[in-house]
Amino acid sequence: MAADSFDVIGVGIGPLNLSLAALIDDAGRRLKTRFLERDTEFDWHRDMLIPGTDLQNSFTGDLVSPVDPTSQYSFLNYLKTKDRYWEFFNYEQFNIPRKEYNEYCRWVSERLENCRFDREVTTVSEGDDGAFIVRARNPETGERHEYRADNIVLGVGSRPYVPDELSGKLGEDVFHSSQFLSRRADCLEADSITVVGSGQSSAEIFLSLLRAQEEHGYRLDWLTRSDGFYPVDPSKLTRELRTPDYMDYFYDLPREVSDGRVAQQDLLYKGISPGTSAAIFDTLYRRSIRNDVDVGMLSKTAVQSIESQSKGRYRLRCHQWEEDRLFRHDSEVVILATGYHRPVPSFLEPVEDALVDADGRFSIDRDFEVETNGLAGRLFVQNDGMDAHGFNVADLSLCSHRNAVIINSIVGEEVYSVENGSRFQSFGVEQFVEESPNSELIEKVAFSTD
Ligand SMILES: Cc1cc2nc3c(=O)[nH]c(=O)nc-3n(C[C@H](O)[C@H](O)[C@H](O)COP(=O)(O)OP(=O)(O)OC[C@H]3O[C@@H](n4cnc5c(N)ncnc54)[C@H](O)[C@@H]3O)c2cc1C
């Protein structure tokens, strides 16, 4: 089979690669591109499109507007085209429903000629001329496709993560949050449900089940090993850390400083949205008027194991780490909102040795390109490299900025301006001193102890 040849192949069509596809199309460059997605259509975290949930970002951070507000692929143009502009005008909200973000992205994907669905990438290898050979198949029909690419942009997202000690009982009644809506109807028939985890997904699932509890009558519990059911910090000055300037500052930190730094920044991106937190509390409060709260919530509690019991129940062994106390907890359904991780995709196996460092990780440079060991083709990665780029790697409002950087790097000139400086606070001493008339850098002096 003669392979079709492309300047850029995008693997996966989630929001991040969709933004790239749209910006490349808008730029009008003669880049030959193709984006490949294994699903039959764009469908964003479909089992978490819980009614009533909102995007955590402003619509102004859509797929394209931060770098090109005049783009035909903007959210506002979507509204205009769908004849919904004035409804949105009167809606007066910045955070749009998640369902609507999904519709908007699908609309963009349907307008782009470079997107192909039903194409699961199965291998990436190196061809004789040094370019990548990308093989894909239609998951339904088995039909095979082959492409040649000078550049690949990985946009395969992250994968549901369940700790090893909890994975043994995964099945119909013990499942990851990413399957919630498919399993919700069965869940409602249980006599007890336990949600594990404390991020936004666990809170949305807990709230959804709390609202249905009166009708279905189950016991509902929520356990997390985190210190509390904390909110993500939504304040404006903190949100300035979700800017290109902060990403640049973070990237410039020495690796020994930035490594592990994200683990201390949970409240910047991992907590519960204040709106969801308030909705949970207020629902509980209203229930409490009639003393009708059949709910348990406990933080600082790690679930150490899950064992099957008789009559379709599961027994959780739990450890409250602050008091250092153990207890058993039984439940018919257990929902594990234990997060996502980013393993190196198996389809990269033929070239993996040239891509990963001694720890088996990608080393990702400022332009989101993987530093390779002798490959001629260039590989860029979306939604990875937190150790280098910080907690913002998956942030949707920054996706157009990251993609502008990638496009400029592939083309070798400035197609989109990525100039920064659009913020009030400084990140780093150099920036502060440069912008402050009253400050001056002083050199560090090494003191002798003699
Ligand atoms: C429920 C949920 C809500 C979130 N809400 C927000 C939010 O409001 N704001 C925010 O900033 N962030 C949010 N995030 C974090 C992040 O922005 C999202 O996870 C986002 O979807 C990441 O986009 P992506 O394009 O990297 O990956 P994904 O959206 O996961 O898309 C990856 C795509 O790649 C495809 N794929 C995988 N392997 C292959 C293959 N071999 N061949 C072809 N295709 C393949 C998958 O089918 C998928 O469609 C949320 C995350 C979750 C889980």
Side-chain angles (χ1 to χ4, degrees), residues 106-403:
R106 186 175 300 154
W107 172 83
V108 172
S109 74
E110 287 166 358
R111 286 164 79 100
L112 285 166
E113 285 176 7
N114 52 3
C115 292
R116 294 287 181 281
F117 290 84
D118 294 315
R119 304 271 197 283
E120 177 168 24
V121 170
T122 50
T123 58
V124 170
S125 54
E126 200 180 14
D128 294 340
D129 62 353
F132 291 115
I133 301 294
V134 180
R135 293 192 176 84
R137 61 185 277 281
N138 182 322
E140 274 290 306
T141 64
E143 187 190 354
R144 292 184 182 279
H145 304 268
E146 192 171 302
Y147 311 88
R148 179 196 167 282
D150 295 320
N151 302 277
I152 289 180
V153 184
L154 279 190
V156 294
S158 49
R159 298 241 302 269
Y161 171 73
V162 175
D164 283 347
E165 63 274 20
L166 306 186
S167 63
K169 291 289 177 281
L170 284 175
E172 289 289 305
D173 299 322
V174 180
F175 57 88
H176 189 264
S177 54
S178 57
Q179 300 171 303
F180 177 60
L181 286 185
S182 296
R183 301 273 165 88
R184 185 174 181 276
D186 289 342
C187 272
L188 300 181
E189 303 307 315
D191 75 3
S192 50
I193 306 174
T194 301
V195 181
V196 179
S198 64
Q200 178 65 11
S201 289
S202 65
E204 287 173 0
I205 289 172
F206 184 80
L207 179 59
S208 165
L209 294 172
L210 186 61
R211 285 177 168 155
Q213 190 185 24
E214 274 181 319
E215 193 184 330
H216 294 272
Y218 40 76
R219 164 78 188 178
L220 183 59
D221 289 288
W222 189 8
L223 302 173
T224 176
R225 70 173 176 196
S226 301
D227 213 352
F229 297 94
Y230 291 136
V232 72
D233 185 344
S235 61
K236 293 183 182 181
L237 288 176
T238 302
R239 281 214 308 265
E240 279 213 307
L241 270 62
R242 294 169 179 269
T243 50
D245 268 22
Y246 180 74
M247 287 190 81
D248 267 355
Y249 161 75
F250 194 94
Y251 185 83
D252 286 335
L253 289 173
R255 280 300 161 267
E256 62 273 18
V257 176
S258 63
D259 251 354
R261 185 75 185 92
V262 172
Q264 302 160 349
Q265 296 182 315
D266 279 4
L267 296 187
L268 298 181
Y269 74 111
K270 264 193 175 170
I272 302 166
S273 85
T276 310
S277 178
I280 290 171
F281 189 91
D282 294 353
T283 308
L284 289 169
Y285 180 79
R286 285 170 210 281
R287 293 266 172 87
S288 71
I289 297 169
R290 288 182 151 206
N291 198 18
D292 190 16
V293 179
D294 193 11
V295 161
M297 293 167 65
L298 187 65
S299 63
K300 303 175 177 60
T301 298
V303 177
Q304 296 181 325
S305 64
I306 302 177
E307 300 298 334
S308 304
Q309 298 289 295
S310 59
K311 297 190 189 142
R313 290 174 82 78
Y314 293 89
R315 175 155 293 175
L316 282 59
R317 181 186 151 99
C318 308
H319 178 233
Q320 206 276 22
W321 47 260
E322 199 165 57
E323 294 178 293
D324 192 19
R325 298 200 62 184
L326 288 167
F327 65 97
R328 281 192 292 271
H329 171 75
D330 289 353
S331 188
E332 251 185 36
V333 167
V334 183
I335 304 174
L336 300 168
T338 42
Y340 291 79
H341 67 153
R342 299 168 172 83
V344 173
S346 57
F347 59 75
L348 286 178
E349 205 190 306
V351 284
E352 192 174 332
D353 286 348
L355 293 174
V356 296
D357 60 20
D359 299 328
R361 296 191 306 182
F362 292 137
S363 180
I364 299 172
D365 76 6
R366 188 184 290 280
D367 294 346
F368 307 98
E369 182 175 354
V370 176
E371 287 166 11
T372 68
N373 184 6
L375 287 181
R378 300 173 72 190
L379 180 82
F380 295 80
V381 183
Q382 306 262 22
N383 194 350
D384 203 344
M386 271 198 188
D387 47 339
H389 288 279
F391 71 93
N392 281 317
V393 292
D395 190 283
L396 292 175
S397 26
L398 281 163
C399 70
S400 58
H401 170 78
R402 287 188 299 262
N403 284 322

